[in-house]
Amino acid sequence: MKGFVFDLDGVITDTAKYHYIAWKQLAAEIGITIDEAFNEQLKGISRQDSLARILAQDDKLDVYSDLELNRMAEKKNQHYVALLETLAPEDVLPGVREFLENAHEVGIPCAIASASKNAPYILDKLQISDYFSGIVDPTTLTKGKPDPEIFIKAAELINLKPEEVVGFEDAQAGIDGIKDCGMYAVGIGAAEQLKGADRVVNDFSELTIEELLCL
């Protein structure tokens, strides 16, 4: 393998709790209750798709105009970004910084494939931006995960073919997208929740650059 592509939330840092707080508040404002179990469905998918799933839960998907939906999604994002103010370098997940440092030392290009439009801001807060050669702009995508488009674009950003890249994901939608474009899929988390992954680990401390380059 010649390059690495990373999802962001749940792989490099855990901002899921901030997403949950922001979505829960927005849902409550329109009379919908969501819990942490429901929030698991929103991992790895876009802001608009997340909002659609929340509204569908209470048969409100056709109640709002496109303008209202956009305003709701932006309101959620503003709350989420405000919560991100507390994010700091120590919020990088175990083993990630060391893994990125090693990849950088041996010249392995890395890219971000995240549905989050806040990825550049988050990487800056974590002080790891310099480790990445590219970040896929989710506004350029025609389809969200599990479609493989975002992973194909990420490989293009580091001038590699998907089959030359290892993809890291913590959500089933992401694993599906990685496999569908021919990448080697490493799941971060519980194996039973990441079906189809080529390998599943608890965190990056269980991985070495050398073993992945030999795949």
Side-chain angles (χ1 to χ4, degrees), residues 40-57:
E40 289 295 312
Q41 300 179 32
L42 310 183
K43 287 186 175 180
I45 65 174
S46 71
R47 194 182 306 163
Q48 294 293 346
D49 288 343
S50 294
L51 178 58
R53 292 195 184 194
I54 291 170
L55 294 173
Q57 186 180 237

Side-chain angles (χ1 to χ4, degrees), residues 144-185:
K145 300 174 186 178
D147 190 90
E149 181 183 14
I150 190 170
F151 297 105
I152 294 171
K153 284 183 176 288
E156 290 173 351
L157 287 176
I158 52 177
N159 300 309
L160 293 173
K161 299 175 182 178
E163 56 267 28
E164 298 176 309
V165 176
V166 177
F168 302 93
E169 263 284 359
D170 74 315
Q172 187 63 55
I175 294 295
D176 291 343
I178 288 172
K179 294 303 296 178
D180 283 349
C181 72
M183 285 185 184
Y184 184 92

Side-chain angles (χ1 to χ4, degrees), residues 103-122:
H104 181 72
E105 288 172 359
V106 297
I108 301 301
C110 298
I112 293 289
S114 170
S116 174
K117 296 177 182 178
N118 300 298
Y121 176 73
I122 292 171

Side-chain angles (χ1 to χ4, degrees), residues 4 39 51 76 80 90 94 109 159 166 169 174 183 209:
F4 300 139
N39 190 61
L51 178 58
K76 177 267 174 183
Y80 171 66
E90 54 266 29
N159 300 309
V166 177
E169 263 284 359
M183 285 185 184
I209 299 293

